Amino acid sequence: MSDFLNALFFQAGYNAALVAIGAALLGFAAGAGGSFLFLRKRALVADAVAHATLPGVGLAFIVMVALGADGRSLVGLLAGSALSAWCGLLAVEWMVRRTRLSEDAAIGAVLSVFFGLGVVILTVIQGMSRGRQAGLEDFLLGSTAGMLFQDAVLIAAGGAVVVAAIWVLRRPMTMVAFDPTFAAASGIDVRRVDLAMMGVVLAVTVIGLKLVGLILIVALLIIPPVTARFWSERAENVVWSAGLLGALSGWVGAAISASAPSLPTGPIIVLVAASLFAVSLLLAPARGVLATLLARRAFQRRVHRRQGLLAVSRAEPIHDPLTLRILTAEGLMRPDGVATDAGRAAATRISRDERRWSVARRLHHDTALTGRYDGLTPIEEVFTADEIAQFDAEFGTPHQVGPA
Amino acid sequence: MGAEFVQFSLTPILIGIFASVACALPGNFLILRRQALIGDAISHVVLPGIVVAFLVTGMVATGPMLVGAATAALVAVVLIEAVRRLGKIEPGAAMGVVFTSLFAGGVLLLEQSDTSNVHLDVEHALMGNLEQLIWLRAEGWGSLVDPVALSHLPPELARMAIVAALVAILTLVFWRPLKLASFDEGFARSIGLPVNLIGFGLVTAAAVGAVAAFDAVGSIIVIAMFICPPAAARLMTNSLGRQVAWSLGFATLSAILGYVLAGYGPIWLGANSSVSAAGMVAAVSGLILALACLFGPARGRIGMAAGG
């Protein structure tokens, strides 16, 4: 535990602290960048981009070894991966634009074919006598073990640059993600903003390769935005809270993995993000499962209460157990099924409300107002006192219901 | 084409063909229903399935692992649906959340459990071992009628053949409802077809095909075969029947050409070691798709210049 706290507060050594900062920055960039994709309903494009990095990593290694350099230079490998991911992205774009294949088919085709090519190139490297492939498999699932100091610096710095780029482009990217037609009408070049968005996703993927690995980087681009969506309706809030959720996942995940060397970094970061998602799915106000259930229950109670009181006002017997329970619990009805004074008063009010509504719906031609009749909304919330007085004039004064 | 071919190439190629066919068949309908990436999702969640099966049974046995993988695939499909409905999230994002999380869980379990002494690792799961499914006891074409040699066929061959046949029979039996539900869901619903059930049955068949193929050839081939041959076939014709036929042809061609290129291509180029067969099969299917994108007679959308 103390190992974990040390790692969490950057006390577990310089390298580990740098990795944690890098992971947090990467998480922020991934969350914020991914939310533009998510709002644009193109979340899985990231999957194609990520898988398309593999052949680039392999080819860059071969080229570097052929030039007599160290094949494991992270900068070189990342440059190669960016190049091939860009090709993958272009291939998806091209297929969607030029053929009748849908985007998901294009994504699937690119990710499987590029990944297959990458694996072929990796086996070529395994067969090479020179320059051993040491560590190339780390790009599949990510690893901080054996990470050099300058690798950690590269990841932290790259993450910072991407976050800065998102900050600069936040306005146009939010507009395009949320409403491309409106953005185009406002004079924004949607195609160029889309390209910038893809550039951000590409940068996040490439920087995250060493840390999280190409199969799991998709998770960081998708899960935080979906999580953030539970907490806010506003596009801009979604972007920044997705960034914060991603940063939290990266930071906590890196700390957990630093405190227990046998825990691989990438999967841990993803699982932290997934836990945040699960909690939000259940507990978020307004959109969470629990909130929805509570709202449904409250609605059901209101319906039963109102129908029960209407039955009282018509002096009809009530048989529904839930209705009986609700009315007795509120003291509107005695356990033997006879309405109390308070119950009869409430019944009178509700019956009057019903009759006012029926008059309102007959007289009033503004359907925007009468359309709000749902059997639950009190008429006072929709019409003014003057208008209600008019409706009352239609059916005379209210009268007492039930046995006098 | 002598004894060596029968020994080292015949069975892997046949297994590759059966696996490709078992994936490409349901892939045709998944593509029409815009669920192409279900194959991708399923092949990712198979990993936690087999890891859990290994942890429960403590051994690398095919039966439990297939059960574990199939269970995981169904769990994933149900979870995706639950996230989509409960959270009101678009299908792509829901899928992304579920399969990446499950895959991460699988990797973590794998790293945590003591599996170092068994042949169970992520790379193996991704790349399969098509090259190792050879028929050592074969001594030539004559072995095909030799019961002793036949009993030493790799077990994956029979398993994959049965699954491919099963998927093919199911496709034939449910051809009409599948076609209707995939092309015009509203109409299919209106004439009383259980559209949701058909969709679930399709995904289940896809999962069965994916799990069986995954066991034999790894997930790269599975994902590629779900999408590339049907997508290429879709660009060749406007008739579903012909599309399925084209896709089977493309799948078979990818399996054969990919295996041959992986095994002999490097030797022709003067290198002395072969490359990943699974990767090469996927690459060849991609090449076929690229050609179909460029020259396929029905490649354009209706109303586009290329005709439709």
Side-chain angles (χ1 to χ4, degrees):
Chain A
M1 194 63 204
S2 68
D3 278 354
F4 168 64
L5 288 179
N6 277 342
L8 199 58
F9 296 108
F10 310 120
Q11 304 298 314
Y14 199 51
N15 216 9
L18 210 52
V19 168
I21 293 173
L25 282 169
L26 175 74
F28 191 94
S35 46
F36 297 117
L37 268 195
F38 169 62
L39 292 173
R40 197 116 168 66
K41 297 193 170 47
R42 303 180 73 186
L44 285 172
V45 172
D47 206 15
V49 173
H51 282 80
T53 55
L54 190 60
V57 172
L59 284 179
F61 180 87
I62 293 177
V63 168
M64 285 191 289
V65 171
L67 293 176
D70 178 9
R72 279 169 295 173
S73 151
L74 189 59
V75 183
L77 295 177
L78 294 191
S81 71
L83 212 58
S84 76
W86 189 245
C87 293
L89 207 50
L90 287 183
V92 171
E93 249 253 300
W94 179 79
M95 265 195 268
V96 173
R97 209 156 30 87
R98 294 300 303 280
T99 75
R100 65 178 182 181
L101 295 176
S102 58
E103 188 165 46
D104 64 329
I107 290 171
V110 164
L111 83 84
S112 58
V113 171
F114 273 69
F115 196 65
L117 266 180
V119 168
V120 167
I121 294 171
L122 283 191
T123 49
V124 168
I125 293 173
Q126 275 164 4
M128 282 169 38
S129 44
R130 279 188 302 160
R132 295 187 9 103
Q133 76 279 16
L136 280 195
E137 310 82 52
D138 284 354
F139 285 95
L140 289 179
L141 297 170
S143 159
T144 48
M147 191 186 271
L148 300 174
F149 176 69
Q150 59 260 40
D151 295 351
V153 173
L154 187 66
I155 290 168
V161 169
V162 178
V163 172
I166 293 175
W167 175 255
V168 171
L169 294 168
R170 67 190 185 282
R171 282 281 142 68
M173 289 207 297
T174 318
M175 279 176 78
V176 169
F178 205 61
D179 190 347
T181 329
F182 176 70
S186 325
I188 290 177
D189 186 341
V190 174
R191 209 179 131 68
R192 279 179 63 183
V193 176
D194 266 338
L195 276 181
M197 231 182 255
M198 288 306 157
V200 166
V201 170
L202 188 79
V204 168
T205 311
V206 167
I207 297 163
L209 275 187
K210 180 76 184 165
L211 202 61
V212 194
L214 64 90
I215 302 181
L216 288 173
I217 187 71
V218 190
L220 279 189
L221 285 158
I222 294 180
I223 300 179
V226 178
T227 310
R229 187 67 187 79
F230 282 114
W231 298 91
S232 176
E233 297 288 330
R234 288 198 45 206
E236 195 142 343
N237 293 346
V238 171
V239 171
W240 299 123
S241 32
L244 289 179
L245 287 164
L248 189 65
S249 311
W251 179 38
V252 173
I256 293 176
S257 141
S259 63
S262 66
L263 294 177
T265 321
I268 290 287
I269 293 180
V270 173
L271 288 177
V272 172
S275 323
L276 291 174
F277 166 79
V279 169
S280 307
L281 174 69
L282 292 178
L283 299 183
R287 282 175 60 100
V289 170
L290 193 65
T292 314
L293 276 184
L294 286 178
R296 189 176 300 163
R297 221 173 105 87
F299 177 76
Q300 194 186 23
R301 291 183 71 89
R302 282 176 64 198
V303 171
H304 277 268
R305 181 179 187 275
R306 185 164 176 118
Q307 292 306 321
L309 288 175
L310 281 175
V312 167
S313 78
R314 290 192 296 265
E316 287 165 4
I318 299 171
H319 301 294
D320 185 68
L322 179 61
T323 312
L324 287 172
R325 226 172 31 246
I326 292 168
L327 291 184
T328 29
E330 282 189 51
L332 300 173
M333 180 170 277
R334 295 208 309 256
D336 59 3
V338 177
T340 60
D341 287 347
R344 283 203 302 278
T348 310
R349 276 196 304 278
I350 280 180
S351 139
R352 185 183 63 190
D353 191 61
E354 272 296 300
R355 300 207 300 152
R356 280 171 171 172
W357 267 115
S358 71
V359 175
R361 290 196 302 158
R362 186 156 41 84
L363 293 186
H364 223 278
H365 297 297
D366 186 350
T367 45
L369 290 178
T370 52
R372 287 188 58 193
Y373 172 79
D374 54 5
L376 286 178
T377 314
I379 198 163
E380 287 87 354
E381 286 181 15
V382 180
F383 291 98
T384 61
D386 289 353
E387 286 171 314
I388 293 174
Q390 254 179 17
F391 303 147
D392 284 352
E394 282 289 311
F395 58 76
T397 49
H399 57 92
Q400 179 78 39
V401 295
Chain B
M1 287 299 218
E4 202 174 299
F5 174 81
V6 179
Q7 215 171 14
F8 293 110
S9 300
L10 182 65
T11 45
I13 288 181
L14 283 178
I15 292 171
I17 292 174
F18 289 139
S20 304
V21 164
C23 294
L25 263 181
N28 278 296
F29 301 96
L30 290 177
I31 282 204
L32 287 176
R33 298 163 63 95
R34 298 183 179 241
Q35 290 182 320
L37 288 167
I38 280 273
D40 181 32
I42 290 174
S43 55
H44 279 90
V45 302
V46 159
L47 179 71
I50 55 175
V51 177
V52 169
F54 171 74
L55 292 179
V56 170
T57 62
M59 54 184 178
V60 190
T62 309
M65 292 208 169
L66 287 183
V67 173
T71 314
L74 286 183
V75 166
V77 169
V78 171
L79 271 181
I80 290 170
E81 200 58 21
V83 167
R84 196 171 71 80
R85 296 229 175 123
L86 289 178
K88 297 175 197 71
I89 294 166
E90 48 131 347
M95 199 188 286
V97 169
V98 170
F99 83 72
T100 53
S101 306
L102 287 177
F103 187 77
V107 173
L108 186 67
L109 275 178
L110 197 56
E111 304 268 328
Q112 284 299 290
S113 55
D114 183 28
T115 50
S116 51
N117 55 342
V118 294
H119 196 58
L120 184 66
D121 57 64
V122 176
E123 270 171 71
H124 170 72
L126 291 172
M127 303 175 195
N129 60 344
L130 196 52
E131 296 90 339
Q132 290 156 29
L133 300 176
I134 49 180
W135 188 16
L136 272 180
R137 289 294 290 266
E139 281 151 3
W141 290 101
S143 299
L144 280 177
V145 289
D146 174 7
V148 179
L150 280 177
S151 70
H152 286 83
L153 276 174
E156 284 86 353
L157 182 61
R159 205 180 304 137
M160 210 56 246
I162 291 171
V163 170
L166 187 73
V167 173
I169 291 170
L170 283 176
T171 311
L172 274 179
V173 170
F174 292 105
W175 179 263
R176 244 185 79 78
L178 263 176
K179 182 175 174 174
L180 282 175
S182 303
F183 272 113
D184 192 342
E185 207 179 302
F187 174 68
R189 214 183 282 278
S190 72
I191 61 169
L193 281 178
V195 173
N196 293 334
L197 196 67
I198 293 172
F200 188 74
L202 176 63
V203 172
T204 311
V208 170
V211 168
F214 175 89
D215 171 58
V217 297
S219 66
I220 301 176
I221 292 189
V222 173
I223 306 174
M225 288 304 137
F226 262 120
I227 296 175
C228 292
R234 176 131 172 75
L235 305 177
M236 300 302 291
T237 170
N238 281 320
S239 133
L240 182 62
R242 261 174 259 149
Q243 179 190 321
V244 170
W246 273 108
S247 75
L248 295 185
F250 286 150
T252 309
L253 187 65
S254 311
I256 298 174
L257 213 54
Y259 188 82
V260 171
L261 281 180
Y264 302 103
I267 299 175
W268 297 335
L269 292 176
N272 50 11
S273 60
S274 58
V275 299
S276 159
M280 201 50 124
V281 172
V284 170
S285 74
L287 190 66
I288 294 174
L289 176 59
L291 291 175
C293 282
L294 287 171
F295 307 113
R299 64 184 181 279
R301 231 170 257 118
I302 290 173
M304 277 173 70

